[in-house]
Amino acid sequence: MTPSPADLFRQTFAAEPAVVTAAPGRVNLIGEHTDYSALPVLPFAIDRRTAVAAAPLDAPRIEAVSEAFPVPASFRPGTPPAELLEPWHRYLAAAVSLLEPPPGAGARLAITSQLPPASGLSSSSALMVALVAALNAAWGLALTPEAIADLAARTERLAGAETGGMDQQVIAFARAGHLLRIDFLPPARRHIPVPPGWAFVVASSGQPAPKGGAAREAYNQRVVGTRVAAALLADMLGVGLEGTPLLGHVAGIDAAPVLVEELPERAAPRGIARSLGIPLEWLTALSSGAALDPDAPVPVRPFARHVLSEADRVDAACRAVESADLAALGRLLDASHASLRDDYRCSTPALDAVVAALRKAGAAGARLTGAGFGGFAVAACESGRESALVEAAIAAAGGPAFPVTPSDGALLE
């Protein structure tokens, strides 16, 4: 049984925490790998959370324990994340580096979670939202909910993966019984009620989905590939760019989906920057300071095809939910998984197998959820079918698998 963060704090530090915060995990129903292209997503928060107990410390030191990881953290505020060996320590250091603690102040932290790590259910983003909210309260920083969500997103980018802002927004602002449509150009959020009689199940593929190492490089390669695609499409369409090119800048132009098929299969960022006369860093710069090899070709056409078609599927999914058409939603989930498998190449045989098992057991549709490369799948079904889906997924991949309920976010306004 997961201990409470307050109990873990007392056991570790022999003191009472000043504040306890909690943030949910999330399931992205559809709209995968679209947020960092400034295109819409349709996630919801789930009924499993990460919690942080915190208290200020009258010394410039961060001391933290987590029930999920054996090595405690201890470092000075301002320590560069890359200098710390444990990945979860780097996340803490990244968050602290973006905040402004009172002079000479530190904090003690105790962290517990109901979310499986490296699953694609956003355990790291839940930690960042709960952590920033806890330090905000402990240090009296008076940050707004919007600022907390933004800082949590910046923290994850600083820690290494060039993510968009979906996870932190839904974790912060979700509403029970609703999906949350998030747009980025211009920024907007819209809560969409889940029709009665619908249910959702998530199931592990049995394969971890870590955000470090090769998975992080694969993720960042996709970010760069979509930027290259956006720059080329903008040039074809005569759209002027100022700064990082995003597919969201051209997605609303009718000719864009047709011109995708004229993009190169692969291209090296340096060559594209030179041919278009734009700074190379517009294509390759990452918040963490890491950089991909600018002379190594990255996929362009298939990445653009997935992202633009996935954005269209988000629009269609919103219509399906609003009209209570579960069959239509299921077809969109299936199409999304096929696109992620064939064009974005972030599915795996293990994910494909658990998705197939969920469909065979009676899901209206199923797809990987999260960045992919392992982790979990999500299925939509009629209420009452959840047990059959869970049993089939466990038989196929070994579990865990469980129903999830759209739930409130951590900072719901």
Side-chain angles (χ1 to χ4, degrees):
M1 182 176 178
T2 303
S4 77
D7 285 344
L8 181 60
F9 191 98
R10 295 184 194 103
Q11 293 164 11
T12 304
F13 302 114
E16 289 293 323
V19 62
V20 177
T21 60
R26 69 94 187 92
V27 165
N28 187 19
L29 186 60
I30 199 164
E32 213 64 77
H33 289 279
T34 54
D35 60 341
Y36 54 75
S37 287
L39 288 166
V41 291
L42 189 64
F44 61 90
I46 65 174
D47 47 335
R48 296 190 177 209
R49 295 186 170 237
T50 292
V52 176
L57 186 63
D58 292 330
R61 199 85 195 156
I62 303 298
E63 300 176 358
V65 293
S66 169
E67 51 86 23
F69 302 103
V71 181
S74 181
F75 58 88
R76 291 179 63 87
T79 299
E83 292 185 6
L84 301 175
L85 297 180
E86 296 289 326
W88 78 277
H89 297 181
R90 293 196 287 269
Y91 275 87
L92 300 186
V96 172
S97 72
L98 293 177
L99 295 168
E100 295 184 12
R108 285 174 167 164
L109 307 162
I111 302 162
T112 66
S113 186
Q114 301 166 330
L115 295 166
S119 62
L121 300 182
S122 213
S123 59
S124 59
S125 297
L127 170 60
M128 289 301 96
V129 172
L131 174 67
V132 174
L135 292 174
N136 174 58
W139 287 336
L141 302 180
L143 296 173
T144 66
E146 290 282 0
I148 290 171
D150 178 65
L151 280 167
R154 289 167 58 197
T155 292
E156 290 217 58
R157 296 183 199 119
L158 188 61
E162 198 70 13
T163 61
M166 171 187 69
D167 292 355
Q168 298 77 19
Q169 286 203 49
V170 68
I171 287 168
F173 301 117
R175 181 180 297 165
H178 291 71
L179 311 177
L180 181 62
R181 175 174 172 135
I182 305 171
D183 289 274
F184 301 93
L185 284 177
R189 293 191 296 266
R190 180 162 63 94
H191 296 279
I192 303 176
V194 177
W198 287 24
F200 304 101
V201 168
V202 294
S204 172
S205 65
Q207 181 179 11
K211 282 194 172 180
R216 180 174 61 200
E217 290 183 13
Y219 187 100
N220 290 341
Q221 181 197 56
R222 283 150 180 77
V223 173
V224 171
T226 58
R227 291 176 182 175
V228 171
L232 288 168
L233 286 172
D235 183 68
M236 293 178 188
L237 293 164
V239 175
L241 292 174
E242 294 293 336
T244 303
L246 304 173
L247 286 170
H249 294 146
V250 298
I253 301 173
D254 290 343
V258 177
L259 292 176
V260 163
E261 297 308 317
E262 297 184 19
L263 293 172
E265 181 74 15
R266 301 174 68 87
R270 191 189 303 277
I272 296 301
R274 186 182 296 119
S275 69
L276 298 181
I278 61 175
L280 177 62
E281 57 266 26
W282 285 11
L283 303 179
T284 59
L286 301 173
S287 301
S288 65
L292 297 178
D293 180 355
D295 296 309
V298 295
V300 177
R301 186 195 313 141
F303 286 0
R305 186 164 53 217
H306 164 72
V307 170
L308 293 179
S309 66
E310 185 78 347
D312 288 341
R313 283 187 286 271
V314 172
D315 290 337
C318 291
R319 294 191 294 270
V321 175
E322 289 168 333
S323 61
D325 190 341
L326 182 59
L329 177 66
R331 290 190 293 272
L332 292 164
L333 298 183
D334 293 346
S336 174
H337 185 81
S339 181
L340 289 161
R341 180 192 64 216
D342 300 337
D343 277 338
Y344 230 61
R345 300 185 182 181
C346 61
S347 189
T348 66
L351 275 167
D352 295 342
V354 78
V355 164
L358 289 164
R359 292 172 183 158
K360 188 174 180 180
R367 58 181 287 277
L368 70 84
T369 187
F373 315 109
F376 273 59
V378 60
C381 65
E382 296 176 351
S383 297
R385 291 184 177 267
E386 298 97 308
S387 295
L389 268 62
V390 167
E391 291 174 7
I394 292 173
F402 45 88
V404 286
T405 302
S407 301
D408 281 337
L411 307 171
L412 181 65
E413 295 168 306

